[in-house]
Amino acid sequence: MDRNRLAWIVIFFIGTVFFSFSKLDDATDSFMGWFLLTSFWSAVCGIGYTVMDWMIEKK
């Protein structure tokens, strides 16, 4: 596994754990908001990985 992929996996899991723990502290929000935020975070990480992979391959 290359370092770029591993880095983005770690970034994704850190963000998801952060969102999960912040959801546990705030009982007033709906789980749909958490799901949408996590989905958006997944898209950001996926796009970030793709762009970085493309930039690394271009070198």
Side-chain angles (χ1 to χ4, degrees):
M1 184 179 300
D2 60 312
R3 282 187 254 178
N4 182 38
R5 180 174 294 187
L6 182 63
W8 281 103
I9 289 172
V10 169
I11 290 169
F12 172 74
F13 280 122
I14 288 172
T16 305
V17 167
F18 174 75
F19 296 144
S20 297
F21 282 123
S22 67
K23 176 63 186 152
L24 289 175
D25 290 342
D26 189 16
T28 60
D29 287 343
S30 69
F31 282 103
M32 181 59 90
W34 175 82
F35 176 76
L36 291 173
L37 185 61
T38 305
S39 299
F40 178 72
W41 182 244
S42 176
V44 167
C45 290
I47 292 168
Y49 165 74
T50 303
V51 169
M52 289 302 294
D53 191 55
W54 177 73
M55 290 174 69
I56 291 169
E57 290 293 323
K58 285 291 196 178
K59 277 189 169 182

